[in-house]
C-alpha cells in the first residue's frame, strides 16, 4: 500500500468507525423531527381526522394568538428564573464543595447528585406535599410567625420554579465542577500574595475561569427547563400551562396533532435561537477566557 493510500485510510478510519453510531443517531433523532415537521404543516379538520393538504395555518395561529404568546412568555420566564437561581445556588455550592477535604467532599457530592437517581415525578410529588396548604413549609412558616395563613404555592408559577430549581441544580453543579477541576490553585495563591482580597480573587480570578462551565450549565438548565413537562404539569395544574403541557394537550386532549407538532417545533427553534444567541454574546464578551 502506498503512503498516499495509507494516509487516506488513516483519515477515513474515524469516520468508518463512527459511521454506524452516526447513522443510528441520525435515524433516532432527525427522522422523528422530520416527521414532526411534516405533520405540523397538515390541517386538522375538527372532527378527529387530519387533512392531507399542506398549510401554514397552524404556525399562523400560534404566532397571531395572544393565548400562545402568553404560554411562550411564561415558559421563557420560568426557564430564565430557574437558570438564574441555579447559577446563584449552584456556583457557590460547587466552589465550596471543591474546597472540602476528603471524605466530606465525596459525601456531599453524592448528596447533591443523588436527586438525579430519583424519578422527576417522585421528586415533584414530594415538593407538592411539602408546599401544600398543610405541608411542611407552610406549617413551619406559620409556627415561626412568618405568615398568618398558609401561602398558596401549589398550582402557582412560584411553586413550579422552586421545584424546577431543585431538579436542575445538579446539572449546574456538574458543569461548574468540571471547570473547577481545570483551575490551578497556584493562580489563586498568586493573587492573594499580590495583596488581593479573597473577594477580589474570587471575582477576578476564579469566576472568569469557571465561566465556560457556568455557560454550559446554563444552556443545559435552560433547555431542560423550557421543555420540561412533568413538574409543570403536576405542580402547575391545568390552568398554568407552559409550552410542553400545551403541546401535550393538543396531542392527547383535542387530538389536534398538527397544531401540537407546530407548537413543539416552535419551542425547539426558539430554544436554539436563545441558546445560540446567549452563547455568542457571552463568548464575545469573555473571548479571552474561552480562548485560553
Amino acid at each position: 500500500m502506498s503512503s498516499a493510500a495509507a494516509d487516506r485510510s488513516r483519515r477515513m478510519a474515524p469516520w468508518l468507525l463512527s459511521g454506524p453510531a452516526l447513522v443510528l443517531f441520525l435515524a433516532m433523532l432527525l427522522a422523528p423531527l422530520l416527521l414532526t415537521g411534516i405533520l405540523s404543516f397538515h390541517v386538522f379538520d375538527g372532527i378527529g381526522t387530519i387533512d392531507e393538504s399542506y398549510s401554514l395555518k397552524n404556525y399562523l395561529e400560534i404566532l397571531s394568538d395572544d393565548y400562545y404568546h402568553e404560554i411562550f412568555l411564561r415558559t421563557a420566564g420560568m426557564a430564565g428564573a430557574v437558570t438564574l437561581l441555579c447559577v446563584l445556588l449552584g456556583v457557590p455550592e460547587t466552589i465550596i464543595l471543591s474546597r472540602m477535604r476528603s471524605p466530606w467532599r465525596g459525601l456531599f457530592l453524592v448528596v447533591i447528585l443523588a436527586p438525579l437517581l430519583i424519578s422527576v415525578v417522585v421528586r415533584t410529588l414530594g415538593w407538592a406535599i411539602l408546599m401544600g396548604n398543610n405541608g411542611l413549609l407552610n406549617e413551619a412558616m406559620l409556627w415561626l410567625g412568618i405568615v398568618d395563613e398558609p401561602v398558596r404555592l401549589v398550582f402557582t408559577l412560584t411553586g413550579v420554579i422552586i421545584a424546577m430549581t431543585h431538579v436542575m441544580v445538579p446539572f449546574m453543579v456538574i458543569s461548574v465542577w468540571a471547570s473547577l477541576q481545570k483551575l490551578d490553585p497556584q493562580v489563586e495563591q498568586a493573587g492573594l500574595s499580590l495583596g488581593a482580597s479573597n473577594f477580589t480573587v474570587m471575582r477576578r480570578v476564579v469566576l472568569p475561569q469557571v465561566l465556560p462551565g457556568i455557560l454550559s450549565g446554563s444552556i443545559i438548565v435552560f433547555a431542560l427547563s423550557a421543555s420540561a413537562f412533568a413538574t409543570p404539569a403536576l405542580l402547575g395544574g391545568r390552568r398554568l400551562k407552559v409550552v410542553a403541557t400545551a403541546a401535550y394537550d393538543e396531542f392527547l386532549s383535542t387530538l389536534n396533532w398538527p397544531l401540537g407538532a407546530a407548537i413543539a417545533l416552535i419551542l425547539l427553534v426558539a430554544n436554539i435561537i436563545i441558546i445560540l444567541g446567549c452563547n455568542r454574546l457571552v463568548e464575545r464578551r469573555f473571548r479571552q477566557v474561552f480562548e485560553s
Side-chain angles (χ1 to χ4, degrees), residues 99 178-191 201 205-206 209-210:
R99 282 159 169 72
S179 294
L180 279 174
Q181 299 311 300
K182 303 176 183 178
L183 183 62
D184 187 358
Q186 294 182 354
V187 177
E188 297 182 55
Q189 296 172 5
V201 171
V205 177
V206 177
Q209 294 297 320
V210 300

Side-chain angles (χ1 to χ4, degrees), residues 31-46:
L33 285 178
L34 178 61
L35 294 176
T36 303
I38 295 174
L39 177 62
S40 67
F41 289 102
H42 286 292
V43 178
F44 181 67
D45 62 4

Side-chain angles (χ1 to χ4, degrees), residues 41-224:
F41 289 102
H42 286 292
V43 178
F44 181 67
D45 62 4
I47 58 174
T49 58
I50 299 174
D51 194 347
E52 293 299 327
S53 61
Y54 294 94
S55 172
L56 294 174
K57 176 183 177 182
N58 297 317
Y59 291 97
L60 294 176
E61 178 179 350
I62 296 171
L63 296 176
S64 61
D65 195 334
D66 291 338
Y67 170 74
Y68 293 108
H69 296 169
E70 181 181 355
I71 290 177
F72 274 90
L73 288 175
R74 180 185 297 128
T75 303
M78 179 194 70
V82 171
T83 303
L84 178 61
L85 288 175
C86 285
V87 171
L88 295 177
L89 295 175
V91 175
E93 186 176 8
T94 311
I95 294 174
I96 294 172
L97 187 66
S98 66
R99 282 159 169 72
M100 289 183 175
R101 295 182 179 180
S102 299
W104 298 108
R105 180 169 56 188
L107 177 62
F108 278 95
L109 184 61
V110 171
V111 170
I112 293 171
L113 301 182
L116 294 178
L117 304 177
I118 305 173
S119 170
V120 65
V121 176
V122 175
R123 281 181 284 170
T124 302
L125 291 176
W127 274 107
I129 296 173
L130 285 174
M131 295 189 297
N133 288 340
N134 297 320
L136 181 61
L137 291 179
N138 272 312
E139 291 291 338
M141 289 190 293
L142 288 171
W143 183 76
L144 293 172
I146 299 176
V147 295
D148 297 327
E149 58 182 14
V151 179
R152 186 169 177 265
L153 293 173
V154 181
F155 305 129
T156 64
L157 187 59
T158 302
V160 174
I161 291 174
I162 293 173
M164 287 289 296
T165 301
H166 173 252
V167 171
M168 296 300 169
V169 160
F171 295 101
M172 181 64 68
V173 171
I174 292 174
S175 300
V176 178
W177 178 267
S179 294
L180 279 174
Q181 299 311 300
K182 303 176 183 178
L183 183 62
D184 187 358
Q186 294 182 354
V187 177
E188 297 182 55
Q189 296 172 5
L192 293 173
S193 66
L194 292 173
S197 63
N198 289 324
F199 177 77
T200 302
V201 171
M202 183 65 62
R203 180 174 60 89
R204 305 199 54 181
V205 177
V206 177
L207 289 181
Q209 294 297 320
V210 300
L211 189 61
I214 297 175
L215 176 62
S216 60
S218 299
I219 290 174
I220 295 172
V221 170
F222 185 90
L224 293 177

